[in-house]
């Protein structure tokens, strides 16, 4: 198997815009590679990885995807995780030009439309844009390939994910593209994962507070399931205890399958960002803070798809307020949280949970009262 020749053929077809043919050749090539012993798979992995920085966005996406497949076969994710951020940022910078050009779209009845990313656009607009800036259109489309190897590698080697989260350009690009294509959505979700981030959860109904560290947690739904175990005693005090199915906990912690059908946790407690707290009584209230999540916006308790990491920090810490089903000043209902986590390879935990002293709890209340009253 001549790896160099096979990769060159795939690149040639991809560069010529023969997408179907390139994908077919890649599938044939990877089918052969996957049947080889580990040492030969590793040699192919290194050869493919070395080509990624030198090719266009579409070809690079194919080659990165091939590396991701080899990771799934048992090879180390470290080389791809260490290398993926730079070419991915380059692809996203190209894609942003297409995103910026969308402001010039003019739609009229009877136009021939084309699906690109999560959008339906006039074919004439896309064709004309490609004539001016083919790299931008190719890169925008390629993001729906690129996110897969990024997820496969960075969720297995989270120190590289943590480093990527410090790249402001990468984070900004993912945020801008998040609602325009599948790749943008999942990259934004990936870069929003809480990795060893400090949190404080205030429970004003019983004047308690808990400090903790969130690691590997993607969304509030996952957090609520993990809190149902970590704060079980406190939840019982506010009438929010409930049966937490073991299978749901295993899914959300990453030790079980990525999803289990027909099982859910019924959460009767509610989480609010600290901005929603009323300083007059330190209780969170609907209507005080407008949040944004992938599913939309709202001003009540946080929805399951909200990213905890996006909560504004106070003194370097994310602060949440938790209330039970009998708390006043809000819409109270139970949420059915299904057994499904965002990323298969990413384990998650709420660790270092510690009940704060009365003085420490009062300290946080005073910080919030000052900040919210200013």
């Amino acid at each position: 198997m001549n790896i160099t020749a096979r990769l060159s053929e795939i690149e040639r077809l991809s560069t010529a815009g023969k997408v179907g043919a390139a994908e077919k050749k890649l599938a044939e090539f990877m089918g052969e590679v996957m049947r080889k012993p580990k040492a030969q798979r590793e040699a192919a992995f290194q050869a493919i990885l070395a080509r990624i920085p030198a090719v266009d966005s579409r070809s690079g996406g194919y080659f990165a995807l091939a590396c991701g497949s080899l990771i799934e076969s048992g090879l180390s994710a470290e080389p791809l995780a260490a290398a993926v951020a730079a070419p991915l940022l380059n692809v996203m910078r190209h894609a942003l030009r297409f995103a910026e050009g969308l402001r010039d779209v003019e739609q009229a009845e009877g136009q021939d439309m084309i699906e690109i990313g999560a959008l339906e656009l006039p074919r004439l607009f896309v064709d004309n844009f490609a004539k001016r800036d083919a790299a931008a259109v190719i890169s925008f489309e390629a993001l729906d390939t690129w996110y897969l190897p990024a997820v496969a590698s960075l969720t297995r080697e989270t120190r590289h994910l943590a480093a990527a989260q410090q790249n402001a350009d990468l984070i900004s690009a993912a945020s801008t593209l998040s609602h325009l294509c599948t790749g943008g959505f999942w990259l934004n979700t990936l870069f929003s994962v809480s990795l060893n981030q400090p949190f404080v959860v205030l429970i004003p109904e019983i004047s308690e507070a808990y400090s903790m560290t969130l690691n590997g947690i993607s969304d509030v739904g996952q957090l609520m399931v993990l809190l149902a175990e970590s704060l079980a005693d406190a939840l019982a005090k506010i009438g929010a205890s409930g049966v937490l199915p073991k299978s749901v906990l295993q899914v959300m912690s990453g030790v079980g399958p990525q999803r289990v059908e027909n099982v859910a946790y019924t959460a009767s407690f509610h989480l609010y960002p600290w901005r929603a707290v009323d300083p007059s009584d330190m209780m969170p209230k609907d209507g005080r803070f407008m949040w944004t999540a992938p599913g939309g916006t709202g001003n009540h308790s946080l929805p399951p798809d909200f990213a905890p990491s996006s909560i504004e920090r106070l003194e370097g810490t994310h602060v949440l307020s938790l209330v039970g089903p009998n708390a006043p000043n809000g819409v109270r209902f139970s949420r059915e949280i299904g057994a499904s986590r965002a990323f298969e390879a990413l384990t998650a935990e709420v660790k270092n949970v510690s009940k704060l002293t009365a003085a420490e709890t009062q300290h946080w209340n005073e910080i919030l009262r000052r900040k919210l009253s200013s």
Side-chain angles (χ1 to χ4, degrees), residues 10-30:
I10 294 166
E11 180 185 347
R12 176 181 59 78
L13 291 169
S14 172
T15 303
K18 298 179 180 180
V19 176
E23 290 177 343
K24 181 179 178 180
K25 290 293 183 182
L26 178 63
E28 292 172 355
F29 171 66
M30 290 308 299

PDB file of all heavy atoms in Angstrom, residues 10-30:
ATOM      1  N   ILE A  10      -6.222  11.324  -3.352  1.00  0.00           N
ATOM      2  CA  ILE A  10      -7.375  11.888  -2.634  1.00  0.00           C
ATOM      3  C   ILE A  10      -7.309  13.402  -2.637  1.00  0.00           C
ATOM      4  O   ILE A  10      -8.312  14.092  -2.880  1.00  0.00           O
ATOM      5  CB  ILE A  10      -7.406  11.333  -1.192  1.00  0.00           C
ATOM      6  CG1 ILE A  10      -7.675   9.837  -1.206  1.00  0.00           C
ATOM      7  CG2 ILE A  10      -8.474  12.064  -0.364  1.00  0.00           C
ATOM      8  CD1 ILE A  10      -7.394   9.147   0.119  1.00  0.00           C
ATOM      9  N   GLU A  11      -6.110  13.943  -2.399  1.00  0.00           N
ATOM     10  CA  GLU A  11      -5.947  15.393  -2.401  1.00  0.00           C
ATOM     11  C   GLU A  11      -6.250  15.980  -3.779  1.00  0.00           C
ATOM     12  O   GLU A  11      -6.905  17.026  -3.900  1.00  0.00           O
ATOM     13  CB  GLU A  11      -4.521  15.752  -1.977  1.00  0.00           C
ATOM     14  CG  GLU A  11      -4.268  17.263  -1.955  1.00  0.00           C
ATOM     15  CD  GLU A  11      -2.821  17.590  -1.648  1.00  0.00           C
ATOM     16  OE1 GLU A  11      -2.068  16.684  -1.216  1.00  0.00           O
ATOM     17  OE2 GLU A  11      -2.444  18.748  -1.871  1.00  0.00           O
ATOM     18  N   ARG A  12      -5.795  15.309  -4.823  1.00  0.00           N
ATOM     19  CA  ARG A  12      -6.029  15.811  -6.183  1.00  0.00           C
ATOM     20  C   ARG A  12      -7.528  15.877  -6.483  1.00  0.00           C
ATOM     21  O   ARG A  12      -8.025  16.877  -7.017  1.00  0.00           O
ATOM     22  CB  ARG A  12      -5.328  14.897  -7.194  1.00  0.00           C
ATOM     23  CG  ARG A  12      -5.576  15.274  -8.657  1.00  0.00           C
ATOM     24  CD  ARG A  12      -4.859  14.316  -9.594  1.00  0.00           C
ATOM     25  NE  ARG A  12      -5.279  12.934  -9.399  1.00  0.00           N
ATOM     26  CZ  ARG A  12      -6.422  12.438  -9.868  1.00  0.00           C
ATOM     27  NH1 ARG A  12      -7.270  13.202 -10.555  1.00  0.00           N
ATOM     28  NH2 ARG A  12      -6.726  11.162  -9.679  1.00  0.00           N
ATOM     29  N   LEU A  13      -8.257  14.831  -6.129  1.00  0.00           N
ATOM     30  CA  LEU A  13      -9.700  14.807  -6.372  1.00  0.00           C
ATOM     31  C   LEU A  13     -10.408  15.872  -5.546  1.00  0.00           C
ATOM     32  O   LEU A  13     -11.323  16.555  -6.033  1.00  0.00           O
ATOM     33  CB  LEU A  13     -10.257  13.424  -6.025  1.00  0.00           C
ATOM     34  CG  LEU A  13      -9.826  12.277  -6.953  1.00  0.00           C
ATOM     35  CD1 LEU A  13     -10.225  10.937  -6.349  1.00  0.00           C
ATOM     36  CD2 LEU A  13     -10.452  12.457  -8.335  1.00  0.00           C
ATOM     37  N   SER A  14      -9.985  16.033  -4.302  1.00  0.00           N
ATOM     38  CA  SER A  14     -10.596  17.029  -3.423  1.00  0.00           C
ATOM     39  C   SER A  14     -10.363  18.433  -3.947  1.00  0.00           C
ATOM     40  O   SER A  14     -11.290  19.249  -4.023  1.00  0.00           O
ATOM     41  CB  SER A  14     -10.020  16.892  -2.009  1.00  0.00           C
ATOM     42  OG  SER A  14     -10.449  17.950  -1.189  1.00  0.00           O
ATOM     43  N   THR A  15      -9.134  18.732  -4.336  1.00  0.00           N
ATOM     44  CA  THR A  15      -8.792  20.063  -4.833  1.00  0.00           C
ATOM     45  C   THR A  15      -9.539  20.386  -6.117  1.00  0.00           C
ATOM     46  O   THR A  15      -9.915  21.542  -6.367  1.00  0.00           O
ATOM     47  CB  THR A  15      -7.276  20.164  -5.079  1.00  0.00           C
ATOM     48  OG1 THR A  15      -6.589  19.848  -3.861  1.00  0.00           O
ATOM     49  CG2 THR A  15      -6.889  21.561  -5.525  1.00  0.00           C
ATOM     50  N   ALA A  16      -9.811  19.365  -6.916  1.00  0.00           N
ATOM     51  CA  ALA A  16     -10.548  19.557  -8.172  1.00  0.00           C
ATOM     52  C   ALA A  16     -12.052  19.671  -7.947  1.00  0.00           C
ATOM     53  O   ALA A  16     -12.812  19.836  -8.907  1.00  0.00           O
ATOM     54  CB  ALA A  16     -10.255  18.404  -9.125  1.00  0.00           C
ATOM     55  N   GLY A  17     -12.474  19.581  -6.703  1.00  0.00           N
ATOM     56  CA  GLY A  17     -13.895  19.697  -6.395  1.00  0.00           C
ATOM     57  C   GLY A  17     -14.678  18.418  -6.613  1.00  0.00           C
ATOM     58  O   GLY A  17     -15.912  18.431  -6.551  1.00  0.00           O
ATOM     59  N   LYS A  18     -13.994  17.326  -6.838  1.00  0.00           N
ATOM     60  CA  LYS A  18     -14.667  16.035  -7.038  1.00  0.00           C
ATOM     61  C   LYS A  18     -14.861  15.377  -5.672  1.00  0.00           C
ATOM     62  O   LYS A  18     -14.213  14.404  -5.299  1.00  0.00           O
ATOM     63  CB  LYS A  18     -13.837  15.159  -7.973  1.00  0.00           C
ATOM     64  CG  LYS A  18     -13.684  15.773  -9.377  1.00  0.00           C
ATOM     65  CD  LYS A  18     -12.832  14.902 -10.281  1.00  0.00           C
ATOM     66  CE  LYS A  18     -12.694  15.522 -11.665  1.00  0.00           C
ATOM     67  NZ  LYS A  18     -11.862  14.686 -12.582  1.00  0.00           N
ATOM     68  N   VAL A  19     -15.805  15.959  -4.929  1.00  0.00           N
ATOM     69  CA  VAL A  19     -15.989  15.593  -3.530  1.00  0.00           C
ATOM     70  C   VAL A  19     -16.367  14.125  -3.371  1.00  0.00           C
ATOM     71  O   VAL A  19     -15.789  13.398  -2.560  1.00  0.00           O
ATOM     72  CB  VAL A  19     -17.057  16.498  -2.882  1.00  0.00           C
ATOM     73  CG1 VAL A  19     -17.341  16.059  -1.455  1.00  0.00           C
ATOM     74  CG2 VAL A  19     -16.590  17.955  -2.913  1.00  0.00           C
ATOM     75  N   GLY A  20     -17.353  13.687  -4.134  1.00  0.00           N
ATOM     76  CA  GLY A  20     -17.801  12.296  -4.015  1.00  0.00           C
ATOM     77  C   GLY A  20     -16.694  11.311  -4.299  1.00  0.00           C
ATOM     78  O   GLY A  20     -16.534  10.308  -3.576  1.00  0.00           O
ATOM     79  N   ALA A  21     -15.916  11.576  -5.341  1.00  0.00           N
ATOM     80  CA  ALA A  21     -14.825  10.673  -5.703  1.00  0.00           C
ATOM     81  C   ALA A  21     -13.744  10.665  -4.626  1.00  0.00           C
ATOM     82  O   ALA A  21     -13.188   9.613  -4.293  1.00  0.00           O
ATOM     83  CB  ALA A  21     -14.228  11.087  -7.049  1.00  0.00           C
ATOM     84  N   ALA A  22     -13.453  11.852  -4.072  1.00  0.00           N
ATOM     85  CA  ALA A  22     -12.441  11.933  -3.016  1.00  0.00           C
ATOM     86  C   ALA A  22     -12.891  11.164  -1.779  1.00  0.00           C
ATOM     87  O   ALA A  22     -12.105  10.427  -1.166  1.00  0.00           O
ATOM     88  CB  ALA A  22     -12.167  13.393  -2.668  1.00  0.00           C
ATOM     89  N   GLU A  23     -14.157  11.312  -1.421  1.00  0.00           N
ATOM     90  CA  GLU A  23     -14.669  10.618  -0.246  1.00  0.00           C
ATOM     91  C   GLU A  23     -14.650   9.100  -0.459  1.00  0.00           C
ATOM     92  O   GLU A  23     -14.344   8.344   0.460  1.00  0.00           O
ATOM     93  CB  GLU A  23     -16.082  11.101   0.065  1.00  0.00           C
ATOM     94  CG  GLU A  23     -16.120  12.544   0.575  1.00  0.00           C
ATOM     95  CD  GLU A  23     -17.534  13.032   0.798  1.00  0.00           C
ATOM     96  OE1 GLU A  23     -18.484  12.407   0.277  1.00  0.00           O
ATOM     97  OE2 GLU A  23     -17.693  14.056   1.495  1.00  0.00           O
ATOM     98  N   LYS A  24     -14.964   8.667  -1.681  1.00  0.00           N
ATOM     99  CA  LYS A  24     -14.949   7.242  -1.976  1.00  0.00           C
ATOM    100  C   LYS A  24     -13.529   6.679  -1.864  1.00  0.00           C
ATOM    101  O   LYS A  24     -13.320   5.609  -1.262  1.00  0.00           O
ATOM    102  CB  LYS A  24     -15.493   6.999  -3.384  1.00  0.00           C
ATOM    103  CG  LYS A  24     -15.539   5.519  -3.769  1.00  0.00           C
ATOM    104  CD  LYS A  24     -16.100   5.323  -5.177  1.00  0.00           C
ATOM    105  CE  LYS A  24     -16.104   3.852  -5.575  1.00  0.00           C
ATOM    106  NZ  LYS A  24     -16.640   3.660  -6.945  1.00  0.00           N
ATOM    107  N   LYS A  25     -12.561   7.396  -2.430  1.00  0.00           N
ATOM    108  CA  LYS A  25     -11.173   6.941  -2.365  1.00  0.00           C
ATOM    109  C   LYS A  25     -10.667   6.915  -0.921  1.00  0.00           C
ATOM    110  O   LYS A  25      -9.921   6.009  -0.524  1.00  0.00           O
ATOM    111  CB  LYS A  25     -10.282   7.835  -3.225  1.00  0.00           C
ATOM    112  CG  LYS A  25     -10.498   7.684  -4.726  1.00  0.00           C
ATOM    113  CD  LYS A  25     -10.066   6.305  -5.206  1.00  0.00           C
ATOM    114  CE  LYS A  25     -10.201   6.167  -6.719  1.00  0.00           C
ATOM    115  NZ  LYS A  25      -9.830   4.808  -7.180  1.00  0.00           N
ATOM    116  N   LEU A  26     -11.082   7.931  -0.150  1.00  0.00           N
ATOM    117  CA  LEU A  26     -10.666   7.975   1.245  1.00  0.00           C
ATOM    118  C   LEU A  26     -11.249   6.782   2.012  1.00  0.00           C
ATOM    119  O   LEU A  26     -10.550   6.143   2.808  1.00  0.00           O
ATOM    120  CB  LEU A  26     -11.113   9.280   1.899  1.00  0.00           C
ATOM    121  CG  LEU A  26     -10.788   9.434   3.383  1.00  0.00           C
ATOM    122  CD1 LEU A  26      -9.282   9.437   3.608  1.00  0.00           C
ATOM    123  CD2 LEU A  26     -11.409  10.716   3.940  1.00  0.00           C
ATOM    124  N   ALA A  27     -12.521   6.479   1.752  1.00  0.00           N
ATOM    125  CA  ALA A  27     -13.161   5.346   2.425  1.00  0.00           C
ATOM    126  C   ALA A  27     -12.464   4.040   2.070  1.00  0.00           C
ATOM    127  O   ALA A  27     -12.239   3.180   2.937  1.00  0.00           O
ATOM    128  CB  ALA A  27     -14.643   5.287   2.054  1.00  0.00           C
ATOM    129  N   GLU A  28     -12.110   3.888   0.800  1.00  0.00           N
ATOM    130  CA  GLU A  28     -11.410   2.674   0.375  1.00  0.00           C
ATOM    131  C   GLU A  28     -10.039   2.576   1.050  1.00  0.00           C
ATOM    132  O   GLU A  28      -9.645   1.498   1.540  1.00  0.00           O
ATOM    133  CB  GLU A  28     -11.234   2.680  -1.148  1.00  0.00           C
ATOM    134  CG  GLU A  28     -12.538   2.542  -1.924  1.00  0.00           C
ATOM    135  CD  GLU A  28     -12.332   2.746  -3.423  1.00  0.00           C
ATOM    136  OE1 GLU A  28     -11.194   3.093  -3.828  1.00  0.00           O
ATOM    137  OE2 GLU A  28     -13.302   2.555  -4.189  1.00  0.00           O
ATOM    138  N   PHE A  29      -9.341   3.698   1.074  1.00  0.00           N
ATOM    139  CA  PHE A  29      -8.011   3.729   1.683  1.00  0.00           C
ATOM    140  C   PHE A  29      -8.094   3.394   3.172  1.00  0.00           C
ATOM    141  O   PHE A  29      -7.329   2.557   3.687  1.00  0.00           O
ATOM    142  CB  PHE A  29      -7.391   5.109   1.474  1.00  0.00           C
ATOM    143  CG  PHE A  29      -6.106   5.336   2.227  1.00  0.00           C
ATOM    144  CD1 PHE A  29      -4.964   4.616   1.913  1.00  0.00           C
ATOM    145  CD2 PHE A  29      -6.033   6.275   3.241  1.00  0.00           C
ATOM    146  CE1 PHE A  29      -3.774   4.816   2.603  1.00  0.00           C
ATOM    147  CE2 PHE A  29      -4.856   6.488   3.938  1.00  0.00           C
ATOM    148  CZ  PHE A  29      -3.729   5.758   3.611  1.00  0.00           C
ATOM    149  N   MET A  30      -9.042   4.025   3.882  1.00  0.00           N
ATOM    150  CA  MET A  30      -9.153   3.794   5.322  1.00  0.00           C
ATOM    151  C   MET A  30      -9.621   2.370   5.619  1.00  0.00           C
ATOM    152  O   MET A  30      -9.233   1.783   6.629  1.00  0.00           O
ATOM    153  CB  MET A  30     -10.111   4.814   5.945  1.00  0.00           C
ATOM    154  CG  MET A  30      -9.554   6.235   5.962  1.00  0.00           C
ATOM    155  SD  MET A  30      -7.904   6.337   6.710  1.00  0.00           S
ATOM    156  CE  MET A  30      -8.252   5.741   8.374  1.00  0.00           C
TER     157      MET A  30
END
